[in-house]
Amino acid sequence: MHKGRLRIGEILIQLGYITPEQLNEALRIQQSTQELLGQILRRLGYINGEQLARAQAYQFGVEYEHINLNSISSEMRNIIPAYLARQLRVLPLRKEKHRVVVAMLNPLDIIARDDLQRITGCYIKPVYTDPEVLQQAIELLYSVDSPAEAEGEPPEDNLVLLGAEEETHEQEEADRVAQLVQQAPVVRLVNDILLQAVRMGASDIHFEPKRKGLRLRYRIDGDLVDIRTIPTSMMPAVIARVKVLAELNLTERRLPQDGRFSFQVQAKRIDVRVSTLPNQHGERVVLRLLNNSQVNYRLDSLGFSDVNIERFQSLIRQPYGMILITGPTGSGKTTTLYATLREISRPEINIMTCEDPIEYEIEDISQSNVNEKVGLTFAAQLRSILRQDPDVVLIGEIRDRETAEIACRAALTGHLVFSTLHTNDAASAFPRLIDMGVEPFLISSSVIGVIGQRLLRRLCPSCRYEDTPTPEERQAIGRGVSHIYRTRGCSQCLQRGYRGRLAVHEVLIVNHTIQQLILQRAEAQRIAEEAIRAGMVTMQQDALAKALAGVTSLQEVIAKVGLPETEQTEREMLLAA
């Protein structure tokens, strides 16, 4: 039988501390008193506290440790804070290379061990000892003060720092909050918030401190949805719990911090990026949920129309050149890039990425992270990548002139380069690069195409229905339209009318005329006009076509991208097609 499954009486017999007759006597007493068996055996004098603790350690499957305070170094007092040692009933004994040996009242408490590991930065090796001795040792270890402090004397030379009282108050408050963080209700609340967000398909969780409590909102399909308000009394503990998970500094509440952690739900790994920002009523915290299992890397599932997918695939089949994806933050640019890499990935080509940060891992592709804190910028990383014999290079974002110029030169020297820019449409990418300081001749000879992109909410298929357009809608989209699609809201879409999102695109292919316009530093409008003449379908046209097909709503098109700027007769011809 596995030692962890043995009963305490059987272990005591196996260790030779009691006889079977003594165990039977104790069991008979237990039937009437309902006491713990170990307590009865101690009361009868058959075992002592250390023998019982050794048997319990055997039952837990950990080593027994006899505590000697004289052998515990003073630095152990600082490795685990006093509040946490008392709260979790743990005592740090010694440090062994990259691990800390800790006596624990419950060595099987995985949550406590995880919290200790985050705080100490070391692997925790749990051991067991007599609970009474453990409690006494905790109090003794953390009650040791310097002689001056014990006698209430002022600091040396009577030095008093300005704001010391405020700092002491802040530290006391931090200690109190840190104690609350370990309490089960707070742990369960944060876990429930994370699980609910995953179930509802949220991409972000917002904790917003207000005067009357902590406002909780999820971003679902691009829109923020109010979930609840957490009472003010729990606000510090909830924020602190998230910071503990992300390994952030609990006591730092005046500066922004960034971190990350992961959790698993039904065999799905969820990576979480955490950002904190000091606010009027406390720290505002935003969590970005990255779910690998929900990301669809197939190009034909991202909402490309037949025309746009054909144009885009003609670009990515080119042997070299730079292709840019443009759009605001949260418009799905990264997903499109990852889908593109999967589309072109083959064993015979070397695909490498330079990202900040890596959002999703892709098999068979070499991905690398930018780390500007140590000087590893996009430009520096890109230079190193180009020495690794790549065929295809993905640059997470072009932010400066240096990165842009290296990317352009890479595209000119036989590499297929993908990257993103924050511009309103595809044509604006060229003036944006010129504004960065990149020479027009570099841009015109390296960039072969630009894709503009936005995300629109999909109409819920369960409650979508056809309806007659109002006079105002007919005026906006054309008199030839006989019906449009609306939604009622249902349980499947949480009464919101929308479920999921799709992208709308415009694919600009650089031809000779556009190259000349770039060299002339032409405005985005002139470049867009030439692209449309050469066959580009604008995002507005793509979006309106999807609304008329019932994939999204007219209201969503107007709100996110607007309607096409065409003459009424041309619009009606487009709609009829």
Side-chain angles (χ1 to χ4, degrees):
M1 183 180 293
H2 189 276
K3 66 180 180 181
R5 295 183 180 180
L6 288 176
R7 295 181 180 182
I8 194 69
E10 296 171 328
I11 296 173
L12 288 167
I13 292 175
Q14 186 172 319
L15 293 175
Y17 294 150
I18 62 173
T19 65
E21 291 76 19
Q22 290 171 333
L23 175 59
N24 290 333
E25 180 185 357
L27 288 172
R28 285 194 299 269
I29 296 173
Q30 187 183 45
Q31 289 179 353
S32 59
T33 65
Q34 302 300 314
E35 291 177 87
L36 293 175
L37 186 63
Q39 293 176 352
I40 297 172
L41 290 167
R42 288 189 65 181
R43 192 176 73 246
L44 292 173
Y46 295 150
I47 60 172
N48 57 34
E50 180 177 337
Q51 289 173 324
L52 176 60
R54 286 182 180 276
Q56 289 172 324
Y58 189 94
Q59 191 176 41
F60 282 129
V62 300
E63 296 176 8
Y64 171 84
E65 185 93 11
H66 176 74
I67 292 179
N68 181 359
L69 279 179
N70 294 327
S71 66
I72 302 176
S73 65
S74 58
E75 69 172 333
M76 289 295 101
R77 295 181 63 205
N78 300 323
I79 200 165
I80 296 177
Y83 75 86
L84 195 56
R86 293 189 177 103
Q87 177 74 26
L88 300 179
R89 304 281 293 278
V90 299
L91 183 74
L93 301 179
R94 61 186 174 277
K95 196 169 183 180
E96 299 175 348
K97 293 185 179 180
H98 299 296
R99 69 180 184 180
V100 179
V101 180
V102 180
M104 301 182 65
L105 182 66
N106 181 5
L108 302 183
D109 189 343
I110 302 299
I111 295 176
R113 285 163 61 177
D114 286 346
D115 290 340
L116 291 174
Q117 187 165 316
R118 293 188 191 97
I119 289 173
T120 62
C122 300
Y123 172 79
I124 300 300
K125 177 188 176 182
V127 297
Y128 191 76
T129 193
D130 186 338
E132 295 178 5
V133 175
L134 175 64
Q135 185 60 38
Q136 293 170 2
I138 292 171
E139 295 305 322
L140 287 171
L141 180 67
Y142 289 101
S143 64
V144 177
D145 296 318
S146 67
E149 291 171 336
E151 296 173 12
E153 296 179 6
E156 186 178 355
D157 297 331
N158 294 321
L159 179 65
V160 178
L161 298 175
L162 294 177
E165 291 183 2
E166 180 180 350
E167 289 179 6
T168 300
H169 173 73
E170 288 182 356
Q171 185 58 49
E172 290 174 352
E173 177 65 15
D175 288 346
R176 185 186 70 82
V177 170
Q179 291 179 31
L180 291 174
V181 167
Q182 309 305 326
Q183 295 181 3
V186 176
V187 173
R188 283 198 300 268
L189 175 59
V190 173
N191 288 350
D192 289 344
I193 289 171
L194 293 171
L195 291 173
Q196 183 186 32
V198 172
R199 292 191 198 103
M200 295 179 68
S203 61
D204 301 84
I205 302 173
H206 288 237
F207 294 98
E208 304 169 14
K210 303 294 181 183
R211 188 181 301 276
K212 296 182 179 180
L214 185 65
R215 185 185 189 188
L216 174 64
R217 294 197 288 176
Y218 296 159
R219 186 173 293 281
I220 302 173
D221 296 337
D223 291 341
L224 284 173
V225 179
D226 271 310
I227 301 299
R228 60 178 292 192
T229 297
I230 298 169
T232 305
S233 60
M234 295 193 70
M235 181 165 66
V238 170
I239 297 299
R241 175 61 183 169
V242 174
K243 292 174 72 173
V244 166
L245 291 173
E247 300 182 0
L248 302 181
N249 186 347
L250 276 178
T251 61
E252 180 55 77
R253 289 177 288 179
R254 294 169 294 183
L255 295 174
Q257 297 187 72
D258 294 299
R260 62 191 307 153
F261 65 94
S262 301
F263 64 96
Q264 190 166 309
V265 181
Q266 296 177 347
K268 297 177 182 177
R269 176 189 170 95
I270 310 294
D271 295 321
V272 184
R273 293 211 310 262
V274 180
S275 173
T276 72
L277 181 71
N279 215 334
Q280 181 181 6
H281 300 292
E283 286 182 286
R284 193 181 195 279
V285 181
V286 176
L287 280 61
R288 167 63 59 89
L289 306 182
L290 304 171
N291 185 351
N292 267 306
S293 64
Q294 288 185 348
V295 177
N296 194 326
Y297 294 125
R298 293 177 58 85
L299 271 183
D300 56 8
S301 301
L302 298 183
F304 279 97
S305 67
D306 292 341
V307 172
N308 282 336
I309 193 68
E310 183 179 345
R311 289 169 63 86
F312 185 48
Q313 286 180 332
S314 72
L315 287 173
I316 65 177
R317 284 195 292 265
Q318 299 300 313
Y320 58 87
M322 183 156 65
I323 300 170
L324 299 172
I325 312 289
T326 69
T329 301
S331 59
K333 299 188 297 295
T334 301
T335 301
T336 299
L337 284 175
Y338 284 169
T340 303
L341 295 186
R342 180 175 178 179
E343 182 85 4
I344 65 175
S345 178
R346 301 189 305 276
E348 60 268 24
I349 65 173
N350 179 20
I351 301 177
M352 303 187 71
T353 76
C354 173
E355 306 173 61
D356 183 23
I358 296 173
E359 293 196 11
Y360 302 103
E361 295 182 9
I362 311 175
E363 291 185 7
D364 303 324
I365 291 176
S366 299
Q367 297 174 266
S368 55
N369 241 332
V370 167
N371 188 348
E372 295 189 355
K373 291 181 180 179
V374 297
L376 190 60
T377 62
F378 270 115
Q381 183 86 307
L382 185 53
R383 286 194 187 94
S384 297
I385 285 175
L386 293 175
R387 292 193 288 270
Q388 294 284 314
D389 188 30
D391 297 294
V392 179
V393 178
L394 183 152
I395 307 167
E397 181 183 349
I398 292 179
R399 298 175 179 172
D400 53 53
R401 173 183 175 179
E402 187 178 13
T403 305
E405 287 185 343
I406 296 172
C408 289
R409 295 186 189 282
L412 289 174
T413 54
H415 303 89
L416 187 59
V417 179
F418 294 93
S419 191
T420 68
L421 271 180
H422 286 176
T423 62
N424 290 329
D425 54 34
S428 298
F430 305 104
R432 176 78 179 97
L433 290 172
I434 292 173
D435 288 343
M436 284 184 180
V438 183
E439 290 296 332
F441 77 87
L442 264 182
I443 302 169
S444 65
S445 55
S446 60
V447 179
I448 60 174
V450 184
I451 292 81
Q453 180 169 311
R454 291 289 191 284
L455 290 180
L456 305 185
R457 293 179 296 172
R458 287 181 181 270
L459 283 173
C460 174
S462 300
C463 57
R464 179 190 66 180
Y465 66 96
E466 290 185 16
D467 195 16
T468 303
T470 64
E472 293 78 11
E473 289 169 338
R474 287 185 185 277
Q475 180 67 27
I477 61 177
R479 290 184 294 273
V481 177
S482 60
H483 65 271
I484 60 172
Y485 289 85
R486 306 190 196 280
T487 183
R488 296 184 176 88
C490 64
S491 60
Q492 297 296 315
C493 59
L494 305 175
Q495 307 300 325
R496 300 175 59 248
Y498 297 91
R499 187 152 41 117
R501 289 189 290 178
L502 79 157
V504 292
H505 308 88
E506 57 185 18
V507 181
L508 186 156
I509 297 177
V510 177
N511 57 22
H512 178 72
T513 304
I514 292 177
Q515 286 180 327
Q516 295 304 311
L517 291 173
I518 295 169
L519 290 172
Q520 297 167 17
R521 299 176 183 263
E523 295 180 351
Q525 181 62 33
R526 287 186 60 195
I527 296 174
E529 289 171 356
E530 169 56 27
I532 292 170
R533 188 197 64 77
M536 182 181 80
V537 177
T538 67
M539 274 189 290
Q540 291 78 14
Q541 292 170 333
D542 188 34
L544 183 55
K546 288 181 169 67
L548 295 175
V551 182
T552 188
S553 68
L554 180 61
Q555 290 75 18
E556 185 75 355
V557 171
I558 294 172
K560 299 293 174 64
V561 297
L563 294 173
E565 295 180 0
T566 60
E567 294 296 329
Q568 187 72 25
T569 54
E570 293 177 341
R571 185 176 299 153
E572 289 177 356
M573 289 174 62
L574 170 68
L575 297 177

